[in-house]
């Protein structure tokens, strides 16, 4: 964890220096250190944007190949080994990494633990580490929000201060709600209907309900400062995902249809597209053809017409009485 201590403490101390020297905030104030934690969160999340883009692409590919995955399950459902081989082959051909969706949270966990350690151990005991000197660690550990809430306290270790438990409970609820909303937003708006019934959908549903419970249970033991970090990170994720779903949704989803409607309305509003009603042409009326008589044989024609009268002989000159 030593390299992480240096990285986290450098960013944290840099934000603290900026708030104290540029904005003239109290060096030992709780608001100064909370804002420094929020600045640390924003810096970390900005650095993770490339991984988030990779996560979005991987999640989209996972959604789009779900029909093919179902076909493989029907074809090789009796052979688990062959099914796994063919599924991995499909992932490689489509450029999909099923574990890419977990990269941002997996990388954040060590950072989260490093910050937890800085607050819970070094700041609480005024023991500096890396760029967090003993003096800064003492200031960090003694900082209080609103003059009564130590940012190193937690719901379980509130020191008998009711305000600590109230603020911790509010932050835990906010952290849980933002986690649930982010996952729910992904499933309801940016997943095609075919992807809502496969194994990938089951995985997403599991995360939808399990992650908030994990954060809610674990959150009561987190220091106030760590709760600010995680809640801010969740808000960033929710906003970032909302932007991506709104502007670059997966094909065949509710978000894609909503974007098409918005683009059409925008085009009509700016006059770039003229909406016209195309009337269907009436069917062409062809002149009725005269019905041709049926062909008849010579004998049948004779029977129909009857015996013809013999022609009268021409007189050979003069007139006869």
């Amino acid at each position: 964890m030593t390299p992480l201590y240096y990285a986290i403490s450098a960013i944290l101390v840099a934000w603290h220096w900026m708030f104290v020297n540029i904005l003239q905030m109290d060096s030992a104030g709780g608001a100064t250190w909370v804002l420094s934690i929020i600045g640390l969160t924003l810096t970390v999340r900005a650095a993770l944007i490339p991984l988030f883009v990779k996560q979005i692409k991987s999640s989209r590919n996972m959604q789009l190949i779900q029909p093919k995955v179902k076909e493989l399950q029907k074809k090789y459902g009796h052979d688990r080994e062959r099914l796994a081989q063919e599924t991995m082959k499909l992932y490689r051909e489509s450029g999909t990494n099923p574990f890419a969706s977990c990269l941002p949270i997996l990388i954040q966990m060590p950072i989260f633990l490093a910050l937890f350690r800085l607050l819970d151990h070094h700041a609480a005991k005024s023991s500096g580490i890396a760029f967090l000197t003993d003096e800064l660690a003492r200031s960090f550990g003694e900082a209080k929000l609103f003059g009564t809430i130590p940012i190193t306290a937690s719901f379980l270790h509130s020191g008998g201060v009711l305000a600590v438990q109230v603020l911790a409970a509010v932050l835990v609820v906010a952290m849980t709600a933002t986690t649930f909303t982010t996952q729910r937003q992904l499933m309801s708006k940016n997943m095609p209907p075919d992807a809502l019934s496969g194994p990938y959908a089951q995985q997403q549903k599991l995360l939808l309900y399990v992650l908030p419970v994990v954060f809610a249970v674990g959150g009561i033991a987190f220091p106030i400062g760590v709760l600010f970090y995680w809640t801010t990170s969740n808000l960033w994720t929710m906003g970032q995902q909302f932007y991506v779903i709104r502007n670059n949704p997966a094909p065949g989803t509710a978000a894609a249809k909503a974007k098409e409607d918005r683009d059409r309305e925008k085009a009509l509003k700016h006059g770039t597209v003229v909406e016209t009603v195309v009337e269907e042409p009436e069917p062409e009326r062809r002149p009725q053809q005269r019905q041709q008589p049926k062909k008849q044989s010579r004998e049948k024609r004779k029977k129909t017409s009857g015996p013809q009268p013999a022609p009268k002989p021409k007189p050979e000159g003069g007139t006869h009485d």
Side-chain angles (χ1 to χ4, degrees), residues 5-295:
Y5 287 146
Y6 275 93
I8 297 302
S9 62
I11 299 171
L12 187 68
V13 170
W15 279 100
H16 182 266
W17 179 91
M18 186 185 72
F19 287 125
V20 171
N21 292 276
I22 297 179
L23 300 182
Q24 300 297 315
M25 296 181 69
D26 182 11
S27 175
T32 307
W33 282 107
V34 167
L35 288 174
S36 300
I37 292 173
I38 293 175
L40 166 67
T41 310
L42 299 179
T43 304
V44 171
R45 292 313 308 264
L48 292 179
I49 286 178
L51 285 180
F52 179 79
V53 172
K54 190 173 182 180
Q55 175 196 15
I56 289 294
K57 291 181 178 178
S58 178
S59 299
R60 181 172 300 176
N61 287 341
M62 287 289 292
Q63 295 168 16
L64 296 178
I65 66 174
Q66 284 309 300
K68 294 182 179 180
V69 173
K70 290 181 181 180
E71 291 179 5
L72 292 177
Q73 290 173 345
K74 292 179 181 178
K75 188 174 181 180
Y76 303 108
H78 59 283
D79 189 348
R80 293 293 184 89
E81 185 177 353
R82 181 67 185 278
L83 176 61
Q85 293 175 354
E86 293 296 328
T87 304
M88 293 306 297
K89 181 181 177 182
L90 177 62
Y91 288 157
R92 287 195 300 270
E93 291 176 351
S94 60
T96 303
N97 183 1
F99 303 106
S101 58
C102 303
L103 282 177
I105 193 171
L106 288 178
I107 291 179
Q108 280 193 88
M109 287 309 296
I111 299 172
F112 173 81
L113 293 174
L115 180 61
F116 181 87
R117 185 70 173 169
L118 284 177
L119 278 167
D120 188 57
H121 181 74
H122 296 281
K125 297 181 179 179
S126 302
S127 173
I129 188 173
F131 293 101
L132 189 71
T133 63
D134 290 345
E135 182 181 355
L136 288 173
R138 187 179 305 107
S139 172
F140 199 11
E142 295 175 356
K144 295 181 180 180
L145 271 174
F146 312 116
T148 57
I149 305 175
I151 63 175
T152 57
S154 65
F155 185 89
L156 294 179
H157 302 90
S158 61
V161 180
L162 179 61
V164 172
Q165 293 183 328
V166 171
L167 180 59
V170 169
L171 290 174
V172 168
V173 170
M175 183 174 63
T176 305
T178 49
T179 302
F180 179 84
T181 303
T182 302
Q183 193 65 24
R184 181 66 180 171
Q185 181 186 53
L186 176 65
M187 293 186 63
S188 62
K189 294 186 177 181
N190 206 40
M191 289 183 68
D194 292 340
L196 294 174
S197 57
Y200 181 73
Q202 298 301 323
Q203 176 189 353
Q204 296 297 317
K205 289 178 182 178
L206 184 65
L207 292 175
L208 175 65
Y209 296 104
V210 171
L211 279 181
V213 173
V214 171
F215 288 134
V217 173
I220 60 176
F222 296 158
I224 297 292
V226 175
L227 291 177
F228 271 107
Y229 171 88
W230 204 255
T231 303
T232 305
S233 181
N234 283 356
L235 289 171
W236 173 289
T237 301
M238 188 168 64
Q240 190 172 239
Q241 182 172 274
F242 176 80
Y243 176 83
V244 171
I245 291 176
R246 180 178 175 83
N247 295 280
N248 192 19
T253 61
K257 185 179 182 304
K259 185 176 185 300
E260 291 177 1
D261 294 340
R262 288 196 307 272
D263 291 343
R264 189 181 301 109
E265 290 177 3
K266 186 177 179 181
L268 291 171
K269 184 177 180 181
H270 289 80
T272 56
V273 175
V274 179
E275 189 175 14
T276 57
V277 179
V278 180
E279 297 182 356
E280 296 184 0
E282 295 184 0
E284 185 180 356
R285 294 182 179 179
R286 297 181 179 179
Q288 293 184 351
Q289 295 182 354
R290 185 177 179 182
Q291 190 173 2
Q292 299 293 332
K294 295 182 180 179
K295 291 184 179 181

Side-chain angles (χ1 to χ4, degrees), residues 294-305:
K294 295 182 180 179
K295 291 184 179 181
Q296 297 178 347
S297 63
R298 186 178 298 176
E299 295 178 358
K300 198 169 183 180
R301 285 200 303 271
K302 285 181 179 181
K303 291 179 180 179
T304 305
S305 59

